[in-house]
Amino acid sequence: MSLNLDNLPQMVAGVMGNNPSTQKEYMTQFRRLLSVEKNTPIQEVIDAHVVPRFVEFLSRDDNPALQFEAAWALTNIVSGTSDNTKVVIEQGAVPIFVKLLSSPNDDVREQAVWALGNISGDSPPCRDLVLESGAVEPLLRQLQTKGSHSMTRIATWTLSNFCGEMPRPSFDRVKIALPTLAELICHDDEEVVVDSCKALSYLTDGPNDAIQAIIEADVCGRLVELLTNSSPDVQAPALRTVGNILTGNSQQKQLLINHNVHSCLLSLLGSP
């Protein structure tokens, strides 16, 4: 079957029908249609009034393959405009995606993480909705158990979205992530280190009480060490985090000085 909009009526009929095999077949076609890199027909799919059906499929615990295809298609929709994301949110997808973070199926869980990352990255109100739906703890479980490399990367990126954007989220909602972030900045994957440093840079951009909680997570030594990393992508968020901590009180500043931060900062002045 070719992937073009001429087939849209047939695809709509397929997902709206009651045959599980047909539902899966045409749900896969929608996912592929929404995965094209250029001129993705997100609005055309929304206008076909199938998003409620996709969200309904997320609850099909008896058919994880269908759940996965629906989650992937919805992830692609929420990668579009804020209006696109709003359509998915209004169908009640967020609490279902949060529930899917506890799915026994690895692929379904990973896709749910990605969807929540896209939604929370859309805007602070969307992020706050995700946090209010209880996403932090089940997301952290993905990072605390030994999972796939791709899950670790996606979950770390999603966690950084939970912490980012102005206005910042309530620190009380995300401070539970500090021990995990302290581990992630020591990861051997650069992308994971970058995103975990970004999360810490967001969280340290706040009052001294928040800075103190982050210091008590024992991250300062590693952050100073990352200032000398060979990758500018790592150096930049580490530097922002260190800079934020240096806006704290004298004791907080002194802790970084004890870690020899001044010599690292001087060396960065000569960096190209």
Side-chain angles (χ1 to χ4, degrees), residues 133-236:
S133 298
V136 177
E137 290 193 37
L139 177 70
L140 292 176
R141 284 199 293 272
Q142 313 312 312
L143 291 163
Q144 291 161 353
T145 56
K146 188 170 179 58
S148 68
H149 188 200
S150 61
M151 172 62 98
T152 301
R153 282 185 164 187
I154 295 165
T156 305
W157 167 75
T158 296
L159 182 57
S160 75
N161 281 353
F162 283 7
C163 301
E165 290 293 325
M166 295 291 284
R168 300 286 184 231
S170 164
F171 187 72
D172 286 340
R173 285 198 182 277
V174 291
K175 65 182 181 182
I176 192 175
L178 291 177
T180 301
L181 288 169
E183 293 179 4
L184 291 172
I185 61 172
C186 298
H187 203 278
D188 57 7
D189 181 87
E190 180 176 309
E191 192 173 311
V192 170
V193 174
V194 168
D195 283 329
S196 54
C197 281
K198 285 181 180 178
L200 287 173
S201 74
Y202 302 143
L203 295 178
T204 50
D205 184 16
N208 288 355
D209 287 350
I211 291 174
Q212 187 60 36
I214 290 158
I215 287 173
E216 291 172 1
D218 197 23
V219 297
C220 288
R222 177 59 172 166
L223 288 169
V224 173
E225 180 184 322
L226 290 173
L227 295 179
T228 62
N229 192 278
S230 60
S231 169
D233 290 338
V234 172
Q235 288 178 330

Side-chain angles (χ1 to χ4, degrees), residues 9-251:
Q10 184 179 358
M11 293 164 65
V12 171
V15 296
M16 290 299 189
N18 295 320
N19 184 304
S21 176
T22 304
Q23 289 173 344
K24 164 66 166 53
E25 175 187 353
Y26 285 100
M27 190 65 253
T28 301
Q29 295 301 319
F30 270 110
R31 183 263 295 171
R32 290 175 177 166
L33 185 65
L34 290 162
S35 297
V36 298
E37 292 186 6
K38 292 185 178 180
N39 301 317
T40 311
I42 293 175
Q43 192 58 51
E44 289 85 347
V45 171
I46 290 173
D47 291 342
H49 306 294
V50 289
V51 170
R53 187 64 158 170
F54 295 177
V55 173
E56 182 183 328
F57 287 160
L58 293 179
S59 297
R60 288 287 300 276
D61 294 337
D62 62 313
N63 193 339
L66 181 61
Q67 281 182 315
F68 172 67
E69 294 293 349
W72 192 345
L74 289 166
T75 299
N76 289 341
I77 291 173
V78 298
S79 71
T81 67
S82 292
D83 285 341
N84 297 154
T85 302
K86 182 180 179 183
V87 170
V88 175
I89 288 174
E90 288 178 344
Q91 294 303 318
V94 169
I96 305 175
F97 276 127
V98 171
K99 182 182 177 184
L100 289 178
L101 295 177
S102 301
S103 167
N105 184 281
D106 293 346
D107 291 333
V108 170
R109 284 200 316 278
E110 186 169 312
Q111 205 58 54
V113 169
W114 208 324
L116 291 168
N118 279 348
I119 293 169
S120 59
D122 180 82
S123 67
C126 289
R127 175 205 64 207
D128 291 345
L129 173 64
V130 171
L131 296 179
E132 289 161 8
S133 298
V136 177
E137 290 193 37
L139 177 70
L140 292 176
R141 284 199 293 272
Q142 313 312 312
L143 291 163
Q144 291 161 353
T145 56
K146 188 170 179 58
S148 68
H149 188 200
S150 61
M151 172 62 98
T152 301
R153 282 185 164 187
I154 295 165
T156 305
W157 167 75
T158 296
L159 182 57
S160 75
N161 281 353
F162 283 7
C163 301
E165 290 293 325
M166 295 291 284
R168 300 286 184 231
S170 164
F171 187 72
D172 286 340
R173 285 198 182 277
V174 291
K175 65 182 181 182
I176 192 175
L178 291 177
T180 301
L181 288 169
E183 293 179 4
L184 291 172
I185 61 172
C186 298
H187 203 278
D188 57 7
D189 181 87
E190 180 176 309
E191 192 173 311
V192 170
V193 174
V194 168
D195 283 329
S196 54
C197 281
K198 285 181 180 178
L200 287 173
S201 74
Y202 302 143
L203 295 178
T204 50
D205 184 16
N208 288 355
D209 287 350
I211 291 174
Q212 187 60 36
I214 290 158
I215 287 173
E216 291 172 1
D218 197 23
V219 297
C220 288
R222 177 59 172 166
L223 288 169
V224 173
E225 180 184 322
L226 290 173
L227 295 179
T228 62
N229 192 278
S230 60
S231 169
D233 290 338
V234 172
Q235 288 178 330
L239 180 59
R240 285 196 297 273
T241 307
V242 166
N244 288 340
I245 294 173
L246 286 171
T247 67
N249 61 40
S250 57
Q251 290 89 353

